[in-house]
Amino acid sequence: MSLDPQRHLAQQIQKIPRSGIRDFFELVIGRDDVISLGVGEPDFSSPWHIREAAIYSLERGETSYTSNLGLLSLREAIAGYVSETFELRYDAKSEILITVGVSEAIDLAFRALLNPGDEVIYHEPCYVSYNPSIALAYGVPVAVATKPENDFSLKAADVAAAITPKTRALMLNFPTNPTGAVIDRAELEAIAKLAVEHDIVVLSDEIYSELRYEGTDHTSIATFPGMKERTIFLHGFSKAFAMTGFRVGYACAPQALMEAMMKIHQYSMLCAPITSQVAAVEALRHGAGPAEEMRQAYAHRRNLLLSRFAEAGIPCFAPGGAFYAFPDIRATGMTSQDFARQLLDEESVACVPGDAFGPSGEGFLRCCYAASTDSLREAMTRIGRFYEKHVS
Amino acid sequence: MNQLLELLQKNARQTDAEIAELLGRETADVTTELAALEKDGTIMGYTAILDQERYAPSKTTAMIEVRLTPERGGGFDRLANRIASFPQVKSCFLMSGAYDLLVIVEGDDIREIARFVTETLSTMNGILSTATHFQLKTYKANGLLQSVPSERERLPVSP
């Protein structure tokens, strides 16, 4: 007799749908002829000096647990980096927690903050984990759609309209995965005022903040008056330093919030892997040059992609950050799913359908340009051909 | 840094149009700048990078340390230029430290290089001594690793 999921699986888990990315992944996996613009990570390996530091750490036998908070040397390096880069000052001993990627930090934050039924506002289309992470913490996800006419940036007025007495937290991610959108300072300041006025905690996932183009500015919401004490600043090493597989991120927050997150982290994760933490220290100490070289390469590829979209007549706004373009395929009359599936069948190019990042991504496609220029050129030729055939 | 030159150094066979596309510039603009860089000698030439072990496995390279007598007025320049002018000399540098010139020589085999050192180089007036080191194996040349260790797998679709 087989197990009855209805009876044996938690209701909370049963309510959460499978990730749309996983469905699409299964279509692509096993085909070796595919050019993929479907990834969400750098195409570079971690710079050699970082890999070498990890190897040396293993040679020295550094294979033990670290403090639950993470290596003090890493927390100190992070305090310095965050202060220099974001003008935010956190105490390395009590306000910084090293996590297994930003994903863990997001989970910790929601579990630390939410009581059943508390609402969390997030902007959409967005990274696939926000909605389920809120739901897994028994919160109520409240999506605010960002709009194509605003280049998928968030408007304070839309946030204001979503606030209710039950709103406990606001989740932000600029530059945004999957759109590459950024937010301007004035709008962010207006959102900060709302957070203060309504006593809302803000989670700010700034994982893509180093990857900005054409002089786009970046301000952390935590820098506005009254914000540092209510912001959980989230960052990590995956994108800027090409360290996705090392799985190391961090949260910076006021001590009281950090204490609460620590209670969960120490029992569930204990600590992030020591090898990854040592590699992260190296990234902060000597990684600025290689990181800038990678950013430069993304900048070139972004130019390539945008010029090819323009040539093919596919509308696409110029994304200010991350390494994604989010072209508008509505003129074909196809759904994102149909477009992506047929593009895969007919032209062997994988792009992720926009609705995998929430219903407001419908009619769009996420194209990651963290790929070689040769692959990008070939992929864009094929996408252009496909679009022309299907556009009405 | 000049981004145009950095791109060219990675791949000099890219067309002007391709470079323009990466830099977000006009093709004509790139063509004009390249012509100017060629004219003023910043770009000295374009060449293919070969894997010598595939292309000419018997070809031999040696690094020769040369000590020489500096001359009044010209220092090392006259003699260094004389040595550098031999076609088998691929590079020639004035060095600090225990010797004066580092001369990198290529030959079809060891004998050819030996002949160059014993019959030509060491017999020149002003050469005090030479020490020849033959290259045994290449791990990295021209910024390129010779054997890339592994093909890494990346998921075709990830969040």
Side-chain angles (χ1 to χ4, degrees):
Chain A
M1 200 178 91
S2 64
L3 197 91
D4 175 12
Q6 295 278 341
R7 183 177 138 82
H8 289 285
L9 295 184
Q11 287 171 9
Q12 195 67 2
I13 295 298
Q14 292 187 48
K15 274 193 274 179
I16 291 173
R18 247 171 83 99
S19 155
I21 289 229
R22 260 182 70 198
D23 291 337
F24 197 67
F25 174 79
E26 270 154 34
L27 286 178
V28 180
I29 197 82
R31 293 185 51 167
D32 49 13
D33 57 334
V34 172
I35 301 181
S36 180
L37 309 188
V39 299
E41 63 175 334
D43 60 319
F44 299 104
S45 290
S46 312
W48 175 247
H49 71 104
I50 294 172
R51 285 184 272 158
E52 204 274 337
I55 294 167
Y56 183 51
S57 156
L58 288 171
E59 280 179 354
R60 277 180 305 184
E62 293 183 328
T63 56
S64 54
Y65 293 131
T66 71
S67 136
N68 291 136
L69 286 169
L71 291 173
L72 183 60
S73 58
L74 177 56
R75 284 180 279 141
E76 283 169 347
I78 288 168
Y81 181 76
V82 169
S83 156
E84 211 171 279
T85 314
F86 302 92
E87 291 173 15
L88 286 169
R89 269 146 212 96
Y90 289 101
D91 175 25
K93 291 210 167 68
S94 61
E95 296 181 318
I96 298 175
L97 171 67
I98 312 300
T99 55
V100 179
V102 172
S103 295
E104 191 215 322
I106 290 169
D107 178 48
L108 296 179
F110 285 137
R111 287 206 271 164
L113 289 172
L114 302 180
N115 285 307
D118 285 346
E119 294 177 1
V120 179
I121 298 171
Y122 65 103
H123 54 93
E124 196 204 73
C126 65
Y127 185 59
V128 293
S129 87
Y130 299 157
N131 176 309
S133 295
I134 297 163
L136 284 171
Y138 301 95
V140 179
V142 177
V144 171
T146 54
K147 301 182 185 86
E149 58 267 33
N150 300 326
D151 290 350
F152 289 98
S153 195
L154 181 62
K155 294 292 165 192
D158 293 334
V159 176
I163 294 174
T164 74
K166 287 186 171 173
T167 305
R168 288 292 318 280
L170 167 66
M171 175 88 224
L172 297 177
N173 171 226
F174 290 103
T176 307
N177 176 5
T179 59
V182 292
I183 188 164
D184 68 56
R185 197 187 153 85
E187 208 65 43
L188 198 64
E189 189 168 13
I191 292 170
K193 281 194 180 130
L194 287 172
V196 173
E197 188 186 324
H198 295 274
D199 196 16
I200 294 168
V201 172
V202 174
L203 281 74
S204 188
D205 175 356
E206 305 187 27
I207 188 73
Y208 289 100
S209 57
E210 287 88 354
L211 302 180
R212 289 174 284 118
Y213 311 103
E214 295 187 71
T216 304
D217 283 333
H218 180 83
T219 305
S220 175
I221 194 163
T223 56
F224 292 110
M227 284 309 294
K228 198 184 153 219
E229 58 263 39
R230 63 178 61 258
T231 301
I232 301 176
F233 172 88
L234 303 163
H235 202 359
F237 297 85
S238 293
K239 313 298 171 168
F241 298 104
M243 290 174 66
T244 46
F246 277 103
R247 309 302 307 125
V248 52
Y250 52 93
C252 304
Q255 199 177 344
L257 274 174
M258 200 49 92
E259 262 312 305
M261 286 169 70
M262 250 297 278
K263 277 189 197 169
I264 308 166
H265 173 77
Q266 70 183 359
Y267 296 128
S268 57
M269 200 60 72
L270 213 160
C271 68
I274 187 168
T275 314
S276 302
Q277 294 193 52
V278 172
V281 171
E282 173 63 23
L284 289 181
R285 285 193 184 145
H286 304 116
E292 173 56 19
E293 270 177 45
M294 291 189 276
R295 193 199 65 83
Q296 198 75 257
Y298 299 138
H300 294 158
R301 296 156 182 195
R302 171 180 172 279
N303 287 336
L304 165 67
L305 226 66
L306 292 178
S307 103
R308 291 298 178 95
F309 278 128
E311 254 172 54
I314 306 173
C316 183
F317 77 99
F323 37 53
Y324 308 107
F326 208 59
D328 181 347
I329 49 108
R330 289 175 295 182
T332 60
M334 298 164 90
T335 64
S336 296
Q337 287 286 343
D338 288 345
F339 190 99
R341 279 163 199 252
Q342 284 189 42
L343 179 64
L344 185 63
D345 282 345
E346 292 176 29
E347 298 285 359
S348 297
V349 174
C351 297
V352 183
D355 69 328
F357 306 96
S360 55
E362 179 55 77
F364 293 79
L365 209 57
R366 187 188 75 174
C367 302
C368 173
Y369 52 82
S372 75
T373 50
D374 286 344
S375 318
L376 287 174
R377 286 201 171 99
E378 179 57 29
M380 290 310 297
T381 303
R382 297 184 192 182
I383 291 172
R385 186 163 62 205
F386 178 87
Y387 185 82
E388 200 183 331
K389 201 167 110 192
H390 292 275
V391 73
S392 28
Chain B
M1 284 303 283
N2 183 322
Q3 291 192 36
L4 172 54
L5 290 180
E6 282 191 16
L7 283 174
L8 268 186
Q9 280 185 283
K10 283 190 190 124
N11 176 8
R13 292 198 73 193
Q14 302 177 82
T15 63
D16 293 1
E18 285 169 340
I19 292 172
E21 202 170 42
L22 293 177
L23 297 178
R25 292 170 60 179
E26 294 298 324
T27 307
D29 185 31
V30 168
T31 306
T32 312
E33 187 179 342
L34 275 179
L37 288 165
E38 286 169 11
K39 195 167 173 228
D40 75 10
T42 305
I43 297 174
M44 297 171 71
Y46 302 91
T47 180
I49 302 170
L50 301 181
D51 180 342
Q52 288 294 354
E53 280 168 38
R54 273 170 199 274
Y55 167 65
S58 64
K59 208 161 211 181
T60 305
T61 303
M63 322 275 157
I64 309 169
E65 302 170 3
V66 181
R67 287 175 55 239
L68 38 79
T69 320
E71 297 168 328
R72 182 174 290 187
F76 297 103
D77 292 352
R78 193 189 60 89
L79 209 45
N81 276 316
R82 266 184 72 189
I83 294 169
S85 297
F86 287 99
Q88 54 269 61
V89 172
K90 295 301 161 195
S91 306
C92 179
F93 309 102
L94 180 66
M95 310 293 288
S96 65
Y99 58 94
D100 303 310
L101 292 184
L102 177 64
V103 180
I104 300 174
V105 177
E106 255 177 40
D108 285 336
D109 52 35
I110 288 188
R111 259 184 231 99
E112 193 183 310
I113 292 178
R115 208 159 41 235
F116 173 74
V117 175
T118 54
E119 294 173 18
T120 312
L121 192 59
S122 51
T123 58
M124 286 169 77
N125 259 342
I127 303 285
L128 296 173
S129 71
T130 64
T132 304
H133 309 276
F134 285 99
Q135 184 179 305
L136 300 180
K137 184 173 177 181
T138 307
Y139 294 97
K140 189 178 191 179
N142 301 293
L144 299 172
L145 284 171
Q146 296 298 295
S147 55
V148 180
S150 67
E151 273 190 32
R152 72 196 181 93
E153 296 238 331
R154 193 165 70 137
L155 297 174
V157 177
S158 57

